[in-house]
Amino acid sequence: MLLTRLPARRARWSGTAARWRTRPLGAAVLVTTAGTWLIVLPFLGTPVALLQPGVAGSAGLGVSLPLLLSGVALMRFPALHALAGLCATVLSVLALLTCNLGGLFLGTALGVLGGCLAFAWTPPAPPEPPSTPEEGKNKACPTA
């Protein structure tokens, strides 16, 4: 019974794996992680003297939410990789000023790395169509 269902499961997951191979997944994960880190860091319960949510927290949300959304855009719309990568890089550098030194430099480093990877990503080349024999030529007889 298990052996009869195995090919159906593989067929279902092979389509998902093929779809994710055509997307900048590594860049999207890094950018989304950076945005999440910048959102969560002020609320982790760290010493008050170091990180304070408030007016600076709202400015941090103004930078970290678009950074998180650019990571999601990389996953959903791979054709926008250059724009999302550029936005992620600029927002990550801007996070140094607004988000507690860019999430203690970790959020900025992840965002810049993910943005650069997204900008440099190239979509896979489409498969070449199979070559068809030219009309009028006989493949069996090379002299014809």
Side-chain angles (χ1 to χ4, degrees), residues 109-124:
L110 290 173
V112 167
L113 181 63
C116 291
L117 284 175
F119 189 78
W121 180 77
T122 56

Side-chain angles (χ1 to χ4, degrees), residues 6-7 12 16 21 24-25 29 44-45 50 58 63 69 72 78 80 83 85 93 99 102 104 120 125 130 134 138 144:
L6 189 59
R12 182 177 60 195
T16 304
R21 277 188 226 115
L25 185 62
V29 167
L44 283 179
L50 182 62
S58 63
V63 171
L69 290 177
V72 172
L80 297 175
L83 178 65
V93 172
C99 297
L104 301 177
E134 295 178 5
N138 187 356

Side-chain angles (χ1 to χ4, degrees), residues 16-95:
T16 304
R19 188 181 90 206
W20 283 111
R21 277 188 226 115
T22 62
R23 299 173 187 274
L25 185 62
V29 167
L30 286 173
V31 171
T32 305
T33 304
T36 305
W37 176 251
L38 292 174
I39 289 172
V40 170
L41 183 66
F43 305 105
L44 283 179
T46 53
V48 177
L50 182 62
L51 306 170
Q52 291 182 342
V55 175
S58 63
L61 284 176
V63 171
S64 56
L65 281 178
L67 185 62
L68 182 68
L69 290 177
S70 66
V72 172
L74 280 170
M75 285 189 223
R76 291 285 299 152
F77 309 108
L80 297 175
H81 67 94
L83 178 65
L86 185 65
C87 287
T89 304
V90 169
L91 287 169
S92 296
V93 172
L94 187 61

